[in-house]
Amino acid sequence: MNKFFFIFDKTTKAENLRKKFLKNFTNFPLKNAEIIIVGGGDGFMLNTLKKFAKYNKPFFGINCGTFGFLMNKNNDINLNKRINLAKKIFLIPLEINIKKKNTFKKLIAINELSLFRQSKQTVSLKVKLNKSILLKKLIGDGLIISTPAGSTAYNLSVNGPILSLNSKKLAITPISPFRPRRWKGKTVNSSNIIEITNLNLKKRPIAAVADNIEVRDVKRVIIKNSTNLKFTLLYDKNKSLDKRIKFEQFKKNFKKK
């Protein structure tokens, strides 16, 4: 019998699931549990992954939100059976170092880092890949650095590429680029270090958003794949995250034909 630690969002759906599970299962202390069961939506899952990252335990999400791309379906199939048959998916987050005027902040992102204009003025950004300049100046509404797990989210909505989970790639995707006007972005190896500098901090302030955590008045951002942090997510075998991403790739390619 598996030892579960349960955590639920505060929505009505999640509360109903909580009552059902806690009637039938023991809620073990987190340090003694083998698996973390998360009842909520994608945003709640992202927060929970980061909150409990240090425990190095697998997560099984059950959708009580809207879309639930990172979650499993909320159904009545035996939970122990689902866990025992589940497929493991490993996600490597981005490590992000943000420099403001006089301070530094470290964040992680599982889906993406988004840089947005903070005022009516467009952003003016310099983008470096390792020590080489990728773009001397990007003018537009912003820029997204997406992991494979996040490539079907905001990145896809601004016409970024869908990345396979095992691709070892990151997507650099512009948001409404004005100059270079026809620049569509770039897919790079995940081993690269990406540095983005705000070229006009006073007139063109920018905000950085790591999944759902925002930092404003950003001067410089350095992004790289984490080398010491990896999340294990469990999925129903026929509906795992990698299969969902492949299906999104198929839909995107089909629309092009």
Side-chain angles (χ1 to χ4, degrees), residues 46 49-50 53 90-96 107-112 147-149 170 190 211 223-232:
L46 290 171
L49 288 170
K50 296 173 187 179
F90 302 104
L91 301 183
I92 298 174
L94 300 173
E95 289 182 355
I96 302 159
L107 298 172
I108 63 170
I110 296 164
N111 274 354
E112 76 273 313
T147 67
L170 299 174
S190 59
D211 290 333
I223 309 118
K224 64 178 182 178
N225 244 20
S226 177
T227 55
N228 54 20
L229 187 58
K230 180 170 67 174
F231 295 102
T232 303

Side-chain angles (χ1 to χ4, degrees), residues 60-224:
F60 185 85
I62 300 176
N63 186 28
C64 299
T66 305
F67 191 57
F69 197 79
L70 294 172
M71 315 300 279
N72 294 283
K73 280 192 173 181
N74 186 351
N75 56 41
D76 291 327
I77 298 173
N78 182 279
L79 182 59
N80 273 301
K81 184 178 180 180
R82 292 176 78 180
I83 295 295
N84 292 337
L85 296 175
K87 180 178 181 179
K88 288 184 179 179
I89 295 292
F90 302 104
L91 301 183
I92 298 174
L94 300 173
E95 289 182 355
I96 302 159
N97 287 285
I98 297 174
K99 183 179 181 182
K100 299 184 66 171
K101 190 173 182 181
N102 297 311
T103 60
F104 290 88
K105 192 172 184 67
K106 292 186 177 182
L107 298 172
I108 63 170
I110 296 164
N111 274 354
E112 76 273 313
L113 172 75
S114 305
L115 297 171
F116 299 105
R117 62 177 183 170
Q118 201 174 290
S119 71
K120 62 184 180 181
Q121 298 283 351
T122 56
V123 303
S124 179
L125 305 175
K126 179 172 72 174
V127 183
K128 291 178 68 176
L129 199 61
N130 298 318
K131 294 183 179 180
S132 300
I133 294 177
L134 177 63
L135 283 175
K136 288 184 178 180
K137 184 185 287 188
L138 171 68
I139 300 173
D141 283 349
L143 190 68
I144 298 171
I145 311 298
S146 174
T147 67
S151 65
T152 60
Y154 190 21
N155 171 71
L156 179 58
S157 74
V158 292
N159 297 313
I162 298 176
L163 306 175
S164 299
L165 273 184
N166 60 356
S167 65
K168 296 183 180 180
K169 301 288 186 181
L170 299 174
I172 304 175
T173 306
I175 304 170
S176 301
F178 181 65
R179 292 286 187 275
R181 191 179 293 277
R182 292 180 178 82
W183 192 65
K184 301 296 184 182
K186 188 174 180 65
T187 300
V188 302
N189 291 329
S190 59
S191 57
N192 285 299
I193 297 174
I194 302 165
E195 181 179 332
I196 302 165
T197 303
N198 185 356
L199 295 174
N200 195 331
L201 190 63
K202 187 174 181 180
K203 186 178 179 181
R204 301 177 186 273
I206 62 171
V209 182
D211 290 333
N212 48 13
I213 299 174
E214 183 182 40
V215 179
R216 297 174 74 82
D217 299 313
V218 171
K219 184 176 182 179
R220 183 178 295 112
V221 183
I222 297 175
I223 309 118
K224 64 178 182 178

